[in-house]
């Protein structure tokens, strides 16, 4: 046993090793799910004793020690001023549409959201404040790169967060572009192994996007980058790095995914899977009414939610009624997250305007989750080992549901006016065939089988990056190599030139020889 005075010494030294860091967490998106991810990071950092400034559209109502929130909720109002554009996102307007993530409008939207948040008055004031210093900045990457300019303002390491499954657009920030022959686009409908035509389509999608982004988006971004950041940098007396030097200088990439639910991508040393960190390790108790419904459900419960962005209330009346009718045929209780009141609701259907999703998923009587296939929903389903029926609508939801089907814990149904019968068939299949539940449990065990929890891992790598001055030793050399060198276009030019020279020289030599032969024969002729 150590004498008491030594215990104090040891305690003191521990405190001085665990120095509190000051971190900027940039998650300005006004969608609820993105906000959940920003809050999750913030929570883990605060619990580890660090100080956080969180740029968010949905601030917390009560003050939290060591947390400063910068409220950017005005960007939602500005963005939605053009209400007609916003209609694009409503469920009823997405039936039978192509994935709108592939549209130019989507690229424009991402660029605009970044612009609105960077130009926000509060943010501008905050950037200009000379008292603000940070040990690292954590930025949510959402289809535009130029927010990378925030890190140089504080001369500290940059950490990207990809809030979806890995994909080439986010991986290219820290590594090479992955091979499209077996790494599909985030908005793809296919999954590996790919057929010949799928492979061709993936290549085409990537080349097309690469060209559009580099020729159309990047010039805009560069202009914006210089306009927004050079002024602040000048005020602060900092030399602003070039756009490329800022964008491709990340120390770390957090990926909100895990191989148990998605594709096991080949990642560079500084990309880390932290999917699941937002899930509370301790399940909160259900509200009394829901607890009773779930406890009493002898035949089990089916939980239905289209997430927070896509609201069930935006379905057409026809779709809504056919779903109610279909649910009435089931013996199970159905909890449906529906954001309004409805008449003629069958006895076994219970509508809730807000659902404590994690607590519902954790209940042993839950049979399945009917979901839109958002990344948070499918991750929570696997965290709790629940099979899913998915109705993907846009974005990465197709990729997520394709993976759920391939892995055997879910069935996908196509979004349509008359999808009720298809959903019923999928629900019956999952109720009657235990394989889906077994798979979900199996994958859940794999999901939890990690050296440390995703929240701990997130904190560990952040501290590691700060400790090692930006973890330069983990960075992939690929980010330093321009595309023409990766494709060996320079070698190609050399080979073509060499061939051309050989060809010309060769032609001349052969040509001369011919002349010589002719003249020889000519002489011979004369001799004869
Ligand atoms: C790149 O990151 C390192 C480490 O975080 C930092 O020291 C350096 O200033 C950054 N360079 C640029 C050009 O931003």
């Amino acid at each position: 046993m150590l004498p008491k005075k030594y215990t104090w010494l040891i305690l003191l030294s521990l405190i001085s090793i665990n120095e509190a860091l000051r971190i900027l967490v940039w998650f300005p998106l006004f969608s609820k799910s993105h906000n959940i991810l920003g809050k999750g990071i913030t929570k883990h950092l605060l619990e580890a004793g660090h100080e956080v400034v969180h740029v968010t559209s949905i601030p917390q109502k009560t003050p939290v020690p060591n947390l400063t929130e910068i409220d950017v909720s005005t960007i939602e109002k500005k963005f939605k001023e053009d209400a007609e554009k916003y209609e694009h996102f409503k469920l009823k307007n997405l039936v039978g549409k192509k994935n709108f993530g592939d549209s130019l409008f989507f690229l424009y939207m991402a660029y605009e959201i970044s612009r609105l948040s960077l130009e926000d008055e509060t943010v501008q004031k905050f950037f200009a404040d000379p008292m603000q210093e940070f040990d690292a900045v954590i930025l949510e990457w959402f289809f535009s790169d130029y927010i990378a300019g925030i890190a140089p303002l504080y001369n500290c390491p940059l950490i990207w967060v990809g809030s979806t499954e890995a994909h080439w657009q986010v991986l290219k920030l820290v590594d090479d572009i992955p091979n499209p022959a077996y790494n599909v686009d985030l908005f793809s409908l296919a999954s590996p192994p790919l057929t010949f035509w799928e492979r061709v389509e993936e290549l085409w999608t990537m080349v097309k996007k690469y060209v559009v982004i580099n020729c159309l988006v990047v010039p805009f971004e560069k202009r914006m980058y210089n306009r927004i950041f050079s002024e602040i940098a000048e005020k602060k007396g900092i030399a602003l790095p070039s756009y490329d030097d800022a964008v491709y200088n990340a120390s770390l990439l957090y990926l909100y995914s895990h191989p148990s639910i998605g594709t096991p991508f080949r990642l560079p040393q500084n990309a880390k899977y932290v999917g699941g960190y937002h899930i509370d390790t301790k399940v909160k108790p259900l509200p009394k009414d829901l607890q009773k419904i779930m406890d009493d459900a002898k035949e089990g419960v089916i939980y239905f939610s289209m997430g927070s962005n896509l609201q069930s209330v935006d379905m057409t009346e026809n779709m809504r009624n056919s779903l109610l009718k279909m649910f009435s045929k089931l013996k199970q209780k159905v909890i449906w997250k529906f954001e309004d009141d409805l008449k003629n609701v069958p006895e076994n259907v219970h509508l809730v305007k807000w659902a404590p999703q994690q607590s519902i998923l954790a209940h042993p009587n839950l049979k399945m989750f009917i979901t839109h296939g958002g990344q948070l929903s499918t991750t929570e389903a696997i965290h709790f080992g629940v099979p899913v029926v998915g109705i993907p609508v846009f974005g990465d939801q197709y990729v997520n549901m394709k993976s759920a089907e391939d892995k055997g814990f879910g069935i996908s149904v196509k979004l349509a006016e008359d999808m009720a019968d298809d959903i019923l068939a999928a629900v019956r299949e999952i109720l009657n065939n235990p394989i889906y539940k077994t798979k979900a449990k199996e994958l859940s065990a794999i999901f939890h089988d990690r050296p440390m929890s995703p929240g701990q891992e997130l904190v560990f790598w952040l501290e590691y990056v700060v400790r090692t001055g930006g973890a330069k030793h983990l960075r992939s050399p690929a980010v330093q190599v321009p595309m023409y060198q990766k494709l060996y276009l320079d070698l190609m030019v050399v080979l073509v030139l060499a061939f051309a020279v050989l060809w010309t020289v060769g032609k001349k030599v052969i040509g001369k020889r011919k002349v010589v032969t002719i003249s020889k024969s000519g002489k011979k002729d004369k001799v004869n």
Side-chain angles (χ1 to χ4, degrees):
M1 269 308 234
L2 281 167
K4 233 184 197 156
K5 57 177 178 186
Y6 289 118
T7 342
W8 278 111
L9 270 180
I10 290 169
L11 272 180
L12 270 177
S13 66
L14 277 178
I15 290 164
S16 59
I17 289 172
N18 274 331
E19 214 177 304
L21 304 175
R22 196 158 191 271
I23 314 294
L24 174 63
V25 177
W26 178 268
F27 265 77
L29 254 71
F30 40 83
S31 118
K32 234 192 199 143
S33 47
H34 291 268
N35 187 61
I36 289 172
L37 292 180
K39 253 190 206 145
I41 293 182
T42 300
K43 191 185 115 218
H44 287 295
L45 296 178
L46 290 173
E47 278 172 7
H50 303 307
E51 195 189 329
V52 178
V53 175
H54 183 198
V55 176
T56 173
S57 278
I58 313 177
Q60 309 190 26
K61 296 203 177 73
T62 46
V64 178
N66 290 331
L67 171 68
T68 310
E69 286 177 304
I70 296 182
D71 182 351
V72 289
S73 51
T74 49
I75 64 170
E76 180 173 16
K77 284 191 206 95
K78 282 186 196 142
F79 186 75
K80 286 186 180 169
E81 259 166 20
D82 206 347
E84 219 169 276
K85 254 186 218 152
Y86 209 69
E87 286 288 310
H88 280 281
F89 301 97
K90 298 239 164 114
L91 233 173
K92 59 183 170 214
N93 296 329
L94 290 161
V95 178
K97 291 278 160 67
K98 266 178 65 180
N99 192 348
F100 102 103
D102 276 331
S103 61
L104 278 177
F105 172 67
F106 180 77
L107 284 180
Y108 167 74
M109 189 192 87
Y111 166 84
E112 270 298 284
I113 291 177
S114 293
R115 184 184 68 80
L116 288 172
S117 38
L118 288 171
E119 287 186 339
D120 181 276
E121 232 174 86
T122 337
V123 169
Q124 283 284 316
K125 251 191 230 147
F126 164 75
F127 282 158
D129 181 357
M131 298 309 284
Q132 298 290 344
E133 280 180 30
F134 293 101
D135 295 297
V137 302
I138 301 179
L139 309 177
E140 184 189 25
W141 182 88
F142 189 74
F143 300 90
S144 71
D145 301 342
Y146 66 113
I147 54 168
I150 297 172
L153 297 182
Y154 304 104
N155 193 22
C156 68
L158 158 65
I159 298 174
W160 289 113
V161 186
S163 31
T164 59
E165 170 63 286
H167 56 97
W168 69 270
Q169 276 176 278
V170 79
L171 287 175
K172 85 170 190 345
L173 295 169
V174 291
D175 195 21
D176 223 341
I177 291 180
N179 190 335
Y182 54 92
N183 297 287
V184 299
D185 190 84
L186 185 64
F187 300 142
S188 173
L189 307 185
S191 66
L194 303 177
T195 63
F196 172 75
W197 284 115
E198 284 173 344
R199 253 186 323 117
V200 173
E201 201 175 336
E202 288 303 324
L203 178 65
W204 168 236
T205 307
M206 200 174 81
V207 171
K208 192 174 60 181
K209 282 194 187 179
Y210 185 86
V211 171
V212 168
I213 289 170
N214 280 289
C215 298
L216 212 67
V217 182
V218 170
F220 270 104
E221 287 210 345
K222 281 188 176 163
R223 223 175 300 154
M224 220 46 209
Y225 172 89
N226 286 320
R227 218 184 79 198
I228 291 177
F229 294 112
S230 58
E231 204 181 303
I232 306 163
E234 206 172 303
K235 268 189 214 155
K236 294 194 152 188
I238 303 162
L240 186 71
S242 72
Y243 170 89
D244 283 304
D245 285 348
V247 168
Y248 295 98
N249 191 39
S251 297
L252 193 66
L253 167 67
Y254 291 135
L255 288 165
Y256 192 88
S257 180
H258 189 260
S260 58
I261 46 172
T263 312
F265 270 80
R266 192 171 60 200
L267 300 181
Q269 295 293 320
N270 59 352
K272 306 291 171 190
Y273 279 126
V274 291
Y277 70 75
H278 82 283
I279 302 172
D280 288 327
T281 33
K282 248 202 188 146
V283 180
K284 290 199 189 86
L286 281 163
K288 277 212 180 90
D289 57 334
L290 282 184
Q291 182 77 45
K292 184 157 169 36
I293 290 170
M294 294 197 79
D295 285 348
D296 293 348
K298 286 199 188 66
E299 299 286 343
V301 178
I302 293 167
Y303 168 53
F304 179 24
S305 166
M306 292 299 278
S308 47
N309 289 333
L310 290 161
Q311 305 217 323
S312 295
V313 90
D314 291 331
M315 290 180 178
T316 60
E317 204 174 319
N318 180 29
M319 198 190 267
R320 187 197 305 166
N321 288 338
S322 63
L323 287 175
L324 282 175
K325 202 169 138 205
M326 178 270 287
F327 286 141
S328 74
K329 292 181 195 159
L330 292 166
K331 281 187 283 184
Q332 285 70 27
K333 293 261 185 243
V334 177
I335 298 175
W336 184 357
K337 193 201 125 215
F338 196 92
E339 303 78 11
D340 203 355
D341 296 314
L342 271 184
K343 276 185 216 133
N344 303 329
V345 178
E347 211 202 325
N348 66 328
V349 177
H350 184 82
L351 301 185
V352 289
K353 291 198 175 113
W354 169 82
Q357 183 156 300
Q358 294 179 20
S359 310
I360 294 175
L361 292 173
H363 197 286
N365 283 352
L366 188 76
K367 294 282 178 199
M368 78 189 72
F369 177 14
I370 307 178
T371 168
H372 64 309
Q375 183 75 336
L376 299 197
S377 288
T378 47
T379 306
E380 286 175 16
I382 281 308
H383 179 102
F384 293 106
V386 175
V388 297
V389 172
I391 314 162
V393 181
F394 65 62
D396 59 339
Q397 295 157 14
Y398 297 97
V399 159
N400 300 339
M401 275 316 301
K402 195 87 176 83
S403 180
E405 281 194 304
D406 291 348
K407 288 181 186 270
F409 72 96
I411 300 175
S412 214
V413 172
K414 200 170 167 223
L415 177 76
E417 277 292 331
D418 55 354
M419 63 184 171
D421 287 343
D422 293 343
I423 296 181
L424 184 63
V427 166
R428 293 226 156 109
E429 166 70 7
I430 289 185
L431 285 174
N432 298 332
N433 192 343
I435 183 92
Y436 298 92
K437 175 91 183 172
T438 311
K439 261 288 163 214
K441 289 279 174 216
E442 231 175 82
L443 290 166
S444 185
I446 297 171
F447 181 80
H448 291 288
D449 197 346
R450 314 189 201 180
M452 41 182 152
S453 76
Q456 288 169 332
E457 182 152 5
L458 192 152
V459 172
F460 173 84
W461 286 111
L462 168 102
E463 290 173 352
Y464 183 91
V465 159
V466 176
R467 259 199 317 269
T468 56
K472 294 208 175 89
H473 61 288
L474 291 185
R475 297 188 191 183
S476 161
V479 282
Q480 300 296 336
V481 185
M483 187 51 98
Y484 79 89
Q485 288 184 16
K486 284 178 189 164
L487 295 175
Y488 280 95
L489 293 184
D490 46 356
L491 172 65
M492 218 102 95
V493 169
V494 169
L495 287 180
V496 167
L497 280 180
F499 186 73
V501 168
L502 277 180
W503 179 262
T504 335
V505 172
K507 227 164 90 179
K508 273 202 182 128
V509 171
I510 292 168
K512 258 188 197 150
R513 236 198 244 141
K514 260 192 193 151
V515 173
V516 172
T517 335
I518 288 169
S519 63
K520 261 187 188 165
S521 60
K523 267 182 188 167
K524 267 185 185 169
D525 275 345
K526 268 184 188 169
V527 172
N528 281 339

